[in-house]
Structure formats: structure tokens, C-alpha cells
């Protein structure tokens, strides 16, 4: 508890006679993984909420990357020192869902606190990821995004590339021209290797990542991303890596700076990179939908969300939960959501914020921010493109990346790498399935 003292007594007698109880401010800890411009957004949201009322104080704390933040939260819960709110990336959803007692479901939180809450007010393509099969929201959508392809328009023009590539073959051809024009270390690249080249790639081409609707319909799912299409794509990357037409930029998003620096003129990463790109890139840039293989029937399909949501940890006091509920209501405000979307590049989480942004003509002047929304709504989702919900997903992403790296390094063939990624991942899923029952 932090305390604000109002006034000071001149004498003990006056203090005893006139003093009123100090106003107790309930402090709410918020652990997050946001860096750069998005860290500033988090701090501003907390400051604005704190200034809007005097009963609660939200204190944000950066805890490292997404995986680091989630692991820190789990460890803190076991030690009895968990924060009130923790930001968890989308692939941690199944793990959080199965942590009985560790979380306070958002739908229950809002109901208990008596705060207005209508799940239908939020965009279904986002909330479906964080809800039960009955539609009960378990966590609060915060920074939702999708993979987009960032383009350095100035460098494409210099390289004589008249049209922004739409398909993977066109990306490969453009990257070769960029390399010949001086981009010797990177024709194109990406962040979040497994997200881009397995998860989003599969949804965008309407092929399964795993059975049981990618785990959404049950924990007894099996991975399927060692198909001929997946193998072909990884083999293409392996071949292009040899002369840096493609150049691997790591498992997470540390390589994004290669786009802003001008080194990589084509770069696939989150639409949430917008705020950082806007503040650091010194050239004309845009974002466009992910590329696809034109010989795949029905492609492109629709993308799936990335980013993260806010989970409320269990074991807190009713008054603290009331404050968290008020903070979530504050975040859901239409004007605030619209501004957050327009400044950060993350998706608006409410229908009203999306409609307001469209009505204000914002997308006409800023088409970049509509790119991920167009991807998510490109077609009606299928079992292969509704999303994914795999247990131990944080750890699985690491081993999937290990196998991709092995192929890129020439230690395994593309088929061997993906076969191993699937086999190792299935073993993890069986372990999770036993603990989740």
C-alpha cells in the first residue's frame, strides 16, 4: 500500500481532534514485455489512468521479452509474489488456461466488480483467441497484431523494382535485385521465425499447423507442419540464405532494427512494429499483406493474431480486483482505443474503435494501419486459420526455431528439420496433455 497524507497537524491536540484517516491508494502491479515506442505507450496509459482517479495506482514494470515475462509471472505466482496483471503473448494462452487457481478469468472479474462488460463489443477475430468455447473471455486483449511485410519504398525504387511483391516468388526475385543493387547482407528477412514461417504461413495458405483445429478443439492435437508445402518453403529459404538473398534475423524481434537502418529493405514482422518504424526509419516505407505461393489453391486465406493479452493473477483481494476491472474499463474506452490503435499500430480491440477510425478517414491517410485488419478479415476463417492453442507453446517455438536454424546452417535437410520439429513438438504436447487433465 502507498499512502497519501493530506495536511499536517500543528499540534498533537489539533491532530487528535481534527485529523481524518489518510486516503489509501491501492497499488496494482502490471508486468509487461513492451520495448521502445510501445513501452512509452504502456507508461502513458498507466499515468493517464492514475490521473483519472485517486483510488488506484497502476505501476508498470518491464520484465524482458514475452517468454521472460511469462516465466517471471509463473515463478512469482508460485512464490506468492505475483503481480495483479501480466502481459502474456498469444501462444501462452493454453498454458495460462490450464493453470487452475493461477488466474482470475476476465469475464468473472468484471462481473464480480460490477463493471459494464459486453464481450460482443470487442472484435471477434481477437477475442475468440482468448475465450472459452462458450465465449467467456479469459484474458483482456491488449496489443493484438498480425504479421505484415514492411517495405522500404525508396530502396525498391533504386533497385528498379516497380511493383511491391505480392507472392513469395516475387519476393525472392525482388530480394535478388536488392542484393545486386547494394544490399549485400540482406535481400529480405523477418523477425519471429516460427510465427512467420510456420504459424502465419500455415493459416495464410489454409493448411493445418496441427489437428483438432490447431488445438482449439482439444489438447489431444498433433502437429502437421512437415507437409510438402512447408518443406518447399523452408528449402527456398535455405537456398537463398547461402548468398544472403535471405538472411535469418533471429527467433524474436531483435533483428527489426535491420529494417529501420535500411539494411533489409523487405522485412516480415508484426504490424505492431509501426510505432518504432515511424520513429526510427528515415525513408519512405509502407506495409503490405504477407506474400503467398500462387499455386496453392485458395491462398491467401486469412491471418491469425499475434501480440498479447492481459491476464489477471489469482489470489488477490477484492478491492484490488475492483481496481483492475476499472483499469480494463478505462482501456476499453472508444476514443482511447482508437488513439492507441492509430499511434501504436496494434489493432483496435473494440468494434466501436475500429468504426470510429474508419469514420474519421484515418485509413485513407494511413493505409499501413489497415493492412493487418485486411489480412485478418480476408476470408471467413477455417479450421486451419481460426488461430492456435497448443500447450507448452513457448518451449515449442524455441525447438521449432532450433530446427529451422539447423536447416539454414546446412546441418539438416528441410524435410529432416521439419520432421524433427513435429516429432519433438508432439512429445511436448503429450506431456502437456497429461498435466492439463
Amino acid at each position: 500500500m502507498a499512502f497519501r497524507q493530506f495536511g499536517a497537524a500543528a499540534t498533537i491536540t489539533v491532530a487528535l481532534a481534527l485529523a481524518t484517516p489518510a486516503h489509501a491508494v491501492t497499488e496494482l502491479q502490471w508486468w509487461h514485455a513492451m520495448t521502445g515506442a510501445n513501452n512509452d505507450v504502456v507508461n502513458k496509459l498507466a499515468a493517464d489512468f492514475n490521473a483519472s482517479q485517486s483510488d488506484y495506482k497502476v505501476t508498470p514494470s518491464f520484465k524482458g521479452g514475452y517468454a521472460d515475462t511469462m516465466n517471471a509471472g509463473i515463478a512469482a505466482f508460485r512464490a506468492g509474489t505475483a503481480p495483479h496483471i501480466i502481459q502474456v503473448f498469444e501462444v501462452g494462452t493454453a498454458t495460462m488456461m490450464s493453470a487452475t487457481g493461477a488466474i482470475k478469468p476476465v469475464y468473472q472479474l468484471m462481473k464480480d466488480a460490477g463493471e459494464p462488460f459486453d464481450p460482443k463489443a470487442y472484435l471477434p477475430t481477437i477475442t475468440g483467441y482468448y475465450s472459452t468455447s462458450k465465449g467467456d473471455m479469459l484474458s483482456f486483449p491488449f496489443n493484438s497484431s498480425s504479421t505484415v511485410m514492411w517495405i522500404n519504398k525508396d530502396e525498391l525504387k533504386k533497385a528498379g523494382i516497380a511493383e511491391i511483391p505480392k507472392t513469395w516468388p516475387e519476393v525472392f526475385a525482388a530480394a535478388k535485385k536488392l542484393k545486386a543493387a547494394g544490399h549485400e547482407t540482406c535481400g529480405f528477412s523477418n523477425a519471429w521465425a516460427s510465427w512467420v514461417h510456420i504459424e502465419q504461413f500455415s493459416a495464410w495458405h489454409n493448411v493445418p499447423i496441427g489437428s483438432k483445429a490447431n488445438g482449439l478443439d482439444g489438447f489431444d492435437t498433433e502437429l502437421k507442419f512437415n507437409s510438402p508445402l512447408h518443406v518447399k518453403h523452408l528449402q527456398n529459404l535455405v537456398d537463398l540464405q547461402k548468398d544472403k538473398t535471405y538472411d535469418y534475423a533471429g527467433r524474436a524481434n531483435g533483428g527489426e532494427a535491420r529494417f529501420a537502418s535500411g539494411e533489409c529493405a523487405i522485412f516480415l514482422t508484426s504490424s505492431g512494429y509501426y510505432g518504432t518504424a515511424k520513429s526510427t526509419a528515415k525513408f519512405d516505407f509502407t506495409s503490405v499483406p504477407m506474400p503467398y505461393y500462387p499455386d496453392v489453391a485458395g491462398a491467401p486465406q486469412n491471418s491469425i493474431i499475434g501480440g498479447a493479452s492481459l491476464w489477471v493473477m489469482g489470489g488477490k483481494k477484492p478491492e484490488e480486483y475492483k481496481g483492475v476491472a476499472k483499469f480494463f474499463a478505462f482501456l476499453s474506452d472508444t476514443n482511447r482505443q482508437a488513439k492507441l490503435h492509430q499511434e501504436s499500430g496494434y489493432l483496435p480491440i473494440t468494434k466501436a474503435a475500429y468504426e470510429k477510425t474508419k469514420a474519421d478517414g484515418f485509413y485513407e491517410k494511413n493505409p499501413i494501419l489497415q493492412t493487418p485488419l485486411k489480412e485478418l478479415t480476408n476470408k471467413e476463417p477455417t479450421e486451419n486459420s481460426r488461430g492456435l492453442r497448443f500447450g507448452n507453446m513457448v518451449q515449442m517455438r524455441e525447438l521449432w526455431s532450433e530446427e529451422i536454424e539447423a536447416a539454414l546452417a546446412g546441418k539438416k535437410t528441410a524435410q529432416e528439420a521439419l520432421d524433427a520439429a513435429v516429432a519433438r513438438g508432439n512429445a511436448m504436447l503429450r506431456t502437456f496433455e497429461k498435466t492439463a487433465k
Side-chain angles (χ1 to χ4, degrees):
M1 291 292 224
F3 293 91
R4 293 178 183 171
Q5 303 294 338
F6 295 92
T11 66
I12 294 177
T13 303
V14 174
L16 290 173
L18 301 177
T20 57
H23 179 69
V25 178
T26 301
E27 185 168 355
L28 307 171
Q29 294 291 330
W30 176 15
W31 289 6
H32 68 89
M34 306 301 273
T35 59
N38 292 328
N39 179 64
D40 297 336
V41 169
V42 166
N43 290 332
K44 180 70 162 53
L45 285 171
D48 288 349
F49 174 72
N50 295 341
S52 73
Q53 45 72 52
S54 58
D55 295 323
Y56 306 97
K57 179 185 178 183
V58 171
T59 302
S61 297
F62 173 72
K63 292 294 177 179
Y66 278 138
D68 295 330
T69 301
M70 179 176 168
N71 291 335
I74 292 172
F77 175 77
R78 289 170 179 163
T81 58
H84 300 82
I85 305 168
I86 182 171
Q87 182 189 28
V88 176
F89 55 167
E90 85 287 4
V91 293
T93 300
T95 299
M96 297 300 287
M97 283 179 66
S98 66
T100 306
I103 64 162
K104 174 85 169 180
V106 165
Y107 76 94
Q108 193 66 52
L109 170 89
M110 302 302 273
K111 180 181 178 181
D112 292 348
E115 287 291 330
F117 179 68
D118 179 9
K120 294 180 181 179
Y122 300 83
L123 288 173
T125 53
I126 297 174
T127 56
Y129 209 107
Y130 303 117
S131 301
T132 66
S133 58
K134 296 179 181 179
D136 293 329
M137 278 174 57
L138 300 172
S139 63
F140 186 83
F142 180 59
N143 56 306
S144 294
S145 62
S146 188
T147 298
V148 299
M149 185 163 67
W150 293 92
I151 300 292
N152 183 330
K153 295 169 71 175
D154 292 345
E155 291 303 305
L156 261 66
K157 186 176 181 180
K158 289 179 186 177
I161 303 167
E163 298 288 333
I164 293 176
K166 293 183 175 64
T167 68
W168 277 114
E170 289 172 356
V171 168
F172 302 153
K176 290 175 181 176
K177 288 185 178 180
L178 285 164
K179 188 173 180 297
H183 290 267
E184 296 179 0
T185 60
C186 179
F188 79 99
S189 189
N190 59 271
W192 304 112
S194 67
W195 186 47
V196 171
H197 293 302
I198 294 177
E199 298 160 44
Q200 291 284 20
F201 178 85
S202 300
W204 199 229
H205 289 85
N206 194 26
V207 293
I209 307 168
S211 63
K212 291 288 183 95
N214 297 334
L216 290 172
D217 291 346
F219 288 145
D220 54 336
T221 176
E222 294 185 353
L223 300 174
K224 302 285 187 182
F225 60 81
N226 53 346
S227 74
L229 175 63
H230 291 96
V231 172
K232 178 179 83 167
H233 181 59
L234 180 55
Q235 187 61 54
N236 284 333
L237 298 182
V238 169
D239 294 340
L240 295 169
Q241 173 83 28
K242 293 174 182 176
D243 69 352
K244 302 291 187 179
T245 298
Y246 168 74
D247 193 51
Y248 183 69
R251 301 180 184 185
N253 63 339
E256 287 176 343
R258 301 178 74 186
F259 178 76
S261 70
E263 181 191 1
C264 300
I266 300 177
F267 200 93
L268 284 89
T269 190
S270 169
S271 57
Y273 176 61
Y274 171 72
T276 300
K278 183 172 66 172
S279 63
T280 57
K282 307 302 181 186
F283 48 81
D284 188 15
F285 67 88
T286 190
S287 74
V288 295
M290 291 178 285
Y292 61 95
Y293 286 100
D295 58 342
V296 175
Q301 172 58 40
N302 66 277
S303 66
I304 53 180
I305 65 165
S309 63
L310 304 181
W311 291 79
V312 183
M313 302 305 286
K316 303 300 180 182
K317 299 175 181 177
E319 181 61 23
E320 294 171 326
Y321 282 139
K322 187 175 180 181
V324 173
K326 286 188 176 298
F327 181 52
F328 286 174
F330 173 87
L331 293 178
S332 299
D333 173 77
T334 298
N335 290 333
R336 186 164 293 106
Q337 269 299 313
K339 184 179 180 182
L340 182 62
H341 164 54
Q342 294 167 21
E343 291 181 353
S344 71
Y346 284 109
L347 306 178
I349 63 170
T350 65
K351 296 174 183 176
Y354 181 33
E355 293 303 324
K356 175 177 172 53
T357 303
K358 286 196 295 185
D360 290 346
F362 182 82
Y363 295 128
E364 295 170 14
K365 298 178 181 178
N366 302 275
I368 288 177
L369 292 187
Q370 202 169 18
T371 301
L373 289 160
K374 287 181 176 179
E375 289 179 322
L376 286 164
T377 58
N378 186 56
K379 290 178 182 174
E380 193 68 25
T382 69
E383 283 201 348
N384 299 325
S385 66
R386 282 165 48 199
L388 59 88
R389 190 174 291 162
F390 299 120
N392 289 332
M393 186 62 186
V394 178
Q395 297 89 333
M396 280 206 299
R397 264 190 175 174
E398 290 297 304
L399 68 84
W400 294 357
S401 295
E402 277 181 23
E403 297 298 341
I404 289 173
E405 289 164 359
L408 292 172
K411 296 177 181 178
K412 292 184 178 182
T413 66
Q415 184 73 64
E416 288 171 344
L418 292 181
D419 284 347
V422 165
R424 294 173 69 191
N426 281 334
M428 276 193 172
L429 289 175
R430 299 292 71 79
T431 300
F432 179 81
E433 186 182 0
K434 292 176 183 176
T435 60
K437 286 184 177 180

